[in-house]
Amino acid sequence: MSELESSSGKPNLTPILDMVFQLITFFMLVMNFKAAALDTSLRLPVVGSARAVDAQGQVSLLILNITKEGNLNVYGQSRTVESYIAGEAQAELLAARQKNPKLQPGDELPTTVVIRADRGTEYHMVHRVIEACQQHGFRNFALKALNREEG
């Protein structure tokens, strides 16, 4: 920096911009994208014995929002059950192979599937989702409901 610039009174913004860039990067890395997967418009069933989901040491959760019509609602968009679950299973298999390279398609995936179905969803629609998950290697399930005190 020349002597003329330092005496003109213009602030050096480089350190501030560097700090702002680092803060933006930090918040992008720690942002919880799973919370965005929750469909808050669903009316969950109310059960007196409902508890929080226990991931049992699982590293990942797959959250499935099922509407009254039996469709999956993913980030506000309706998706077909079979194609979405097949894509998620492929992604989970690739991630799980980093820890266990011997894992093959159809083997049990180390993921808990959290099913959030609307109160009005018929059972056969939920069962169709569970069967599709099982065909693609998902074996651990949690059904989400509200406790009486929460509802």
Side-chain angles (χ1 to χ4, degrees):
M1 182 165 19
S2 71
E3 196 153 322
L4 181 63
E5 289 177 10
S6 63
S7 64
S8 68
K10 292 182 182 177
N12 184 1
L13 297 179
T14 304
I16 293 172
L17 292 174
D18 184 45
M19 181 184 67
V20 169
F21 176 72
Q22 288 182 14
L23 285 172
I24 290 171
T25 304
F26 171 78
F27 286 116
M28 285 176 54
L29 292 173
V30 298
M31 184 175 177
N32 185 359
F33 290 104
K34 291 291 183 185
L38 298 179
D39 182 2
T40 57
S41 68
L42 291 178
R43 295 177 326 139
L44 295 176
V46 178
V47 179
S49 60
R51 294 174 292 157
V53 173
D54 180 16
Q56 303 167 351
Q58 303 287 334
V59 287
S60 65
L61 296 174
L62 173 60
I63 300 172
L64 300 177
N65 300 297
I66 307 173
T67 63
K68 282 188 225 182
E69 297 78 27
N71 297 322
L72 291 180
N73 191 350
V74 181
Y75 298 107
Q77 296 180 350
S78 183
R79 303 286 174 105
T80 59
V81 173
E82 290 77 14
S83 64
Y84 181 74
I85 292 174
E88 287 295 316
Q90 185 66 26
E92 293 293 336
L93 179 64
L94 291 174
R97 278 187 178 165
Q98 292 178 354
K99 289 187 177 180
N100 182 3
K102 296 179 182 178
L103 203 61
Q104 295 298 317
D107 289 350
E108 182 176 334
L109 295 171
T111 302
T112 298
V113 178
V114 179
I115 297 179
R116 302 179 74 245
D118 191 273
R119 291 178 197 170
T121 307
E122 294 181 16
Y123 173 73
H124 69 89
M125 295 177 184
V126 175
H127 187 260
R128 178 178 65 128
V129 172
I130 293 172
E131 278 186 333
C133 289
Q134 288 175 335
Q135 289 173 355
H136 292 292
F138 296 109
R139 303 287 189 272
N140 301 314
F141 295 93
L143 300 174
K144 186 68 176 139
L146 295 177
N147 198 319
R148 284 195 182 120
E149 292 82 37
E150 297 171 13

